């Protein structure tokens, strides 16, 4: 699936800053309520949401907000301290899908975005279902 020729980035295709902000606002309350995910998220939700907005903006081809403040994303390395199991990756994606539904994100932009997030979720797994680390 390719983006339309008149769209230069996935960031633009999904609706840019407004969509990313709305998605993050819909996503994080779900994550903080999810029994498998909540233990991974400590600290102020507002700061985590700010970082996620910055990361997703850059991830989708928008301005390099995350790198400008924190350096290269290196998300797998940054998440190594947290036990991310295959089940947690699935739960994270389910929360993201529900958030996309809530804000009405659909069409090709959603499909491409969700596909990329699915790849990232698999890369982030660093702990087996039994709690062991490779």
């Amino acid at each position: 699936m390719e983006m339309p020729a008149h769209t230069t980035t996935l960031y633009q295709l999904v609706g840019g800053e407004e969509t990313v902000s709305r998605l993050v606002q819909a996503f994080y309350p779900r994550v903080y309520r999810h029994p498998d995910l909540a233990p991974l998220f400590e600290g102020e939700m507002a700061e985590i949401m700010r970082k996620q907005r910055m990361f997703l903006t850059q991830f989708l081809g928008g301005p390099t907000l995350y790198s400008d403040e924190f350096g290269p994303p290196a998300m797998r390395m940054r998440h190594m301290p947290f036990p991310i199991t295959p089940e947690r990756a699935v739960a994270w994606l389910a929360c993201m899908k529900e958030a996309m539904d809530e804000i009405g994100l659909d069409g090709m932009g959603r499909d491409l975005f969700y596909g990329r997030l699915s790849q990232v979720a698999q890369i982030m797994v660093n702990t087996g279902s039994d709690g062991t680390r490779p």
Side-chain angles (χ1 to χ4, degrees):
M1 184 178 306
E2 294 183 31
M3 292 194 310
H6 65 279
T7 304
T8 59
T9 66
L10 186 49
Y11 181 70
Q12 291 171 318
L13 185 62
V14 300
E17 180 181 356
E18 180 183 341
T19 298
V20 170
S21 291
R22 289 176 49 230
L23 181 64
V24 169
Q25 289 172 345
F27 175 68
Y28 272 97
R30 286 175 167 77
V31 168
Y32 272 75
R33 285 191 311 264
H34 196 286
D36 292 335
L37 299 175
L40 300 177
F41 291 86
E42 298 175 357
E44 289 294 318
M45 187 187 312
E47 178 61 9
I48 292 171
M49 289 171 66
R50 183 181 80 85
K51 288 179 179 178
Q52 181 74 323
R53 272 191 301 275
M54 294 167 74
F55 172 74
L56 289 177
T57 295
Q58 182 169 328
F59 178 74
L60 293 170
T64 58
L65 304 175
Y66 189 92
S67 290
D68 292 348
E69 186 168 336
F70 300 104
M75 286 294 123
R76 180 162 167 78
M77 181 197 69
R78 292 180 192 271
H79 286 79
M80 284 307 285
F82 307 101
I84 302 173
T85 63
E87 294 79 12
R88 283 180 166 157
V90 168
W92 187 89
L93 285 169
C95 288
M96 185 61 74
K97 188 174 186 176
E98 291 172 7
M100 288 178 169
D101 289 345
E102 179 181 320
I103 69 164
L105 181 58
D106 58 11
M108 183 186 305
R110 176 192 173 124
D111 294 344
L112 292 169
F113 186 11
Y114 191 81
R116 289 189 66 196
L117 290 174
S118 296
Q119 293 172 346
V120 170
Q122 294 311 308
I123 290 167
M124 301 303 275
V125 172
N126 60 23
T127 304
S129 295
D130 61 0
T132 60
R133 291 208 178 203

